[in-house]
Amino acid sequence: MAADELTGLIRYLGQEDWQECFGEVLGDHIGPALEAGDISFEELAEMIGPDVAMTLWGCAFEDFLGQDWNDGRNFVDIYLKRRGWKEGPRNSAYMRALKASVMSLYEVSDIKPGQSLMARDLLRGGEPVLVHEGTATRTLEQWDRIAARLVPSDGKTILAGGLLAYSRGACEDLAANLYMALRKRRGKAEFPKVDTQTLHELAPMFTLTWLFRTLEDMARQMEGPALFNGDGEDLVFHEVCFPLAKGVTQKTVADVLDGIMALRPENRSFWNWLKEPSNPVGKAGRDENGRFLRTEMDDGAIVLGTLDLKGRQLRLQVNSKERAERGRAMLQAGLGDLVRAPLTQIMTPAQAMEDRRTHGREVSPELQIPPEEEARIIGQMLERHYRQVLDEPVPALGDMTPRQAVQTASGRKKVAIWLKGIENTTVRAHGSGGAMAAYDFGWMWHELGIIRLRK
């Protein structure tokens, strides 16, 4: 909130009758979430942090400023009539502008840290607006989405203080809530068109949608994200050790392993176990918030596990119970009495991370990859991956391939949103200075013929 301009208003709120009115508005903005969690505002502040809690308070206060009560009174009008002489023309103009403002959902672009950004209204449409902003521009990324109020001030457009950064999941929740409130079914547009008066009436929806999603995400993070391998199986690391039978040599075992079609040798002591091309990846029914781990060879072949022949042991390493069972059966059928009954060690992802942290060693400087070489390798990997993705069905595009989707106007809009999500997520996940974040996705926009939508 623009505290300098609103200090007088906040102090004036202390009058008893206005406190009761504001309490009603604050209850509309956060009350259902407090009731659902059976918590107080103070407990909420401990959970999300006092600064974030005050931002929610600010969202409610800014909504309160635009409310007309049953007797026709408006808080800002009454205040300026009685004390406007003390505020001066600049502050008075800002208060009137804030009173007339509405909360909407914006997509930001062309961010100049500490200076400005462009904001495109996703609910009312129109061309992007230049917004002068010094604080939020230091943390926002290209194509982030924010719920905020745009307010004219001294010939410029600025952001009011009640700004909420909306995740993709929160945006989906908001779209669903808006359609429900407007009693319309989902159409082709990502968000329904909403007029200014409706936005004024639905202001609490932005706060509540953000708050419910944030609390749900916090609970999910405390539990840890669901982790799956590329087949949609629970990610649990298994190491299956087959002791060599008495008198059996490594050469004998290696000769047999070289003859198993599913194994690709790296050398005489190491093999990759590869997925058969006809065996589809099965992610059906898995939580969309889960994370998938899939390893591929340079030619795109999917790696199911690895085999390491060392000393008197053959070790199979896989990342799921199902793969451990299939791999054990494959090796016992192929090797027979060349190996004895295997022993299996199981480790969860959390245990694996702790083991690496506890027993890991620093990589020597001579073994580290130079940043420019890392960027080149990652660039090649990403381009190979996304060139393949352009010809694969994408759920977000209605199970059409991106090349198919861009054949229609509505499809081109969906592909643009999809691409923006990929870029934004990459930066968010890897930071603005990493090799992953530095990758230029521009070629995809050009190849799909929608570069004009990259704004």
Side-chain angles (χ1 to χ4, degrees):
M1 198 180 311
D4 291 343
E5 290 86 347
L6 299 181
T7 299
L9 279 172
I10 295 173
R11 288 176 179 171
Y12 195 66
L13 183 64
Q15 293 195 10
E16 185 175 345
D17 56 341
W18 287 119
Q19 279 280 18
E20 183 177 349
C21 294
F22 173 65
E24 290 184 24
V25 178
L26 182 61
D28 291 338
H29 279 256
I30 65 174
L34 297 182
E35 292 175 7
D38 193 22
I39 57 176
S40 65
F41 182 77
E42 290 72 21
E43 290 171 325
L44 174 66
E46 291 182 5
M47 295 171 62
I48 64 177
D51 292 342
V52 179
M54 286 310 300
T55 297
L56 298 178
W57 188 95
C59 291
F61 184 66
E62 290 167 359
D63 182 25
F64 165 72
L65 297 182
Q67 300 285 340
D68 291 326
W69 299 93
N70 293 335
D71 55 5
R73 296 188 305 161
N74 172 270
F75 182 71
V76 174
D77 291 342
I78 297 296
Y79 176 81
L80 291 179
K81 183 177 180 179
R82 296 179 180 177
R83 303 183 62 83
W85 59 271
K86 188 175 182 180
E87 293 294 345
R90 180 179 178 277
N91 283 5
S92 297
Y94 178 80
M95 292 176 187
R96 292 190 179 94
L98 186 58
K99 167 195 166 185
S101 68
V102 293
M103 181 79 86
S104 191
L105 187 69
Y106 297 91
E107 181 182 76
V108 304
S109 61
D110 299 329
I111 301 169
K112 297 180 180 178
Q115 300 181 38
S116 65
L117 56 80
M118 298 297 292
R120 182 167 68 92
D121 195 323
L122 295 174
L123 300 182
R124 290 179 290 180
E127 293 297 315
V129 176
L130 176 64
V131 178
H132 293 267
E133 165 61 31
T135 303
T137 50
R138 300 185 188 279
T139 57
L140 291 172
E141 301 288 351
Q142 180 84 337
W143 295 316
D144 272 353
R145 292 173 175 186
I146 59 173
R149 294 171 183 264
L150 269 55
V151 183
S153 177
D154 292 337
K156 300 178 181 179
T157 299
I158 64 174
L159 292 173
L163 182 152
L164 301 172
Y166 256 63
S167 66
R168 295 287 160 174
C171 288
E172 293 173 1
D173 293 345
L174 180 65
N177 291 338
L178 285 172
Y179 276 109
M180 187 179 301
L182 298 174
R183 296 182 180 179
K184 292 181 179 178
R185 294 182 179 180
R186 283 181 177 271
K188 294 183 179 179
E190 187 187 14
F191 292 100
K193 290 293 183 181
V194 183
D195 58 41
T196 300
Q197 179 57 35
T198 301
L199 287 178
H200 176 74
E201 297 169 357
L202 297 180
M205 180 180 293
F206 292 89
T207 311
L208 279 173
T209 300
W210 182 91
L211 183 53
F212 271 114
R213 169 58 72 155
T214 298
L215 293 175
E216 289 172 6
D217 288 345
M218 288 175 63
R220 190 178 296 113
Q221 289 173 4
M222 290 177 66
E223 297 173 355
L227 299 175
F228 313 118
N229 65 16
D231 289 326
E233 300 158 350
D234 292 325
L235 195 70
V236 182
F237 299 105
H238 287 65
E239 182 176 272
V240 186
C241 296
F242 293 84
L244 273 58
K246 185 176 180 179
V248 175
T249 65
Q250 285 192 5
K251 180 180 183 303
T252 301
V253 173
D255 288 341
V256 175
L257 295 177
D258 285 344
I260 298 177
M261 293 296 296
L263 302 181
R264 181 184 296 182
E266 291 286 338
N267 50 54
R268 290 290 287 174
S269 62
F270 188 89
W271 294 259
N272 285 295
W273 175 26
L274 306 181
K275 175 186 282 290
E276 297 178 10
S278 60
N279 193 357
V281 174
K283 296 181 183 178
R286 285 302 189 182
D287 182 355
E288 63 179 4
N289 294 311
R291 300 179 184 176
F292 292 85
L293 175 65
R294 186 169 79 172
T295 306
E296 297 181 354
M297 302 290 288
D298 291 340
D299 61 0
I302 298 174
V303 179
L304 299 178
T306 61
L307 281 165
D308 181 20
L309 183 57
K310 188 175 182 180
R312 301 292 301 168
Q313 283 190 337
L314 174 65
R315 294 189 305 167
L316 167 66
Q317 293 183 316
V318 294
N319 58 18
S320 75
K321 174 184 176 182
E322 292 82 358
R323 289 184 180 180
E325 293 174 350
R326 289 160 51 198
R328 184 187 302 114
M330 174 186 68
L331 293 174
Q332 287 178 326
L335 294 171
D337 58 5
L338 296 179
V339 294
R340 299 202 303 268
L343 300 175
T344 302
Q345 179 180 352
I346 301 175
M347 189 176 294
T348 66
Q351 290 170 332
M353 292 176 65
E354 178 63 21
D355 184 69
R356 178 176 296 181
R357 183 188 68 81
T358 305
H359 301 99
R361 297 179 179 178
E362 294 291 334
V363 179
S364 60
E366 61 269 16
L367 296 179
Q368 293 181 356
I369 302 176
E372 60 276 8
E373 179 64 12
E374 180 186 14
R376 184 187 68 80
I377 294 172
I378 289 177
Q380 289 180 345
M381 177 191 70
L382 289 176
E383 182 162 350
R384 183 172 65 247
H385 170 70
Y386 284 115
R387 284 200 179 278
Q388 180 179 345
V389 169
L390 293 184
D391 295 302
E392 294 180 345
V394 177
L397 304 179
D399 286 329
M400 300 176 67
T401 72
R403 295 190 195 278
Q404 292 171 334
V406 295
Q407 300 306 309
T408 65
S410 61
R412 286 190 286 275
K413 291 180 181 179
K414 290 182 179 179
V415 172
I417 294 169
W418 173 70
L419 284 174
K420 288 178 179 180
I422 291 175
E423 294 196 46
N424 182 266
T425 301
T426 300
V427 173
R428 282 281 176 207
H430 300 282
S432 57
M436 290 283 286
Y439 181 72
D440 185 5
F441 288 86
W443 68 269
M444 296 178 71
W445 295 80
H446 283 288
E447 185 147 330
L448 293 171
I450 57 171
I451 187 63
R452 63 182 182 82
L453 298 179
R454 196 189 190 199
K455 60 180 181 180

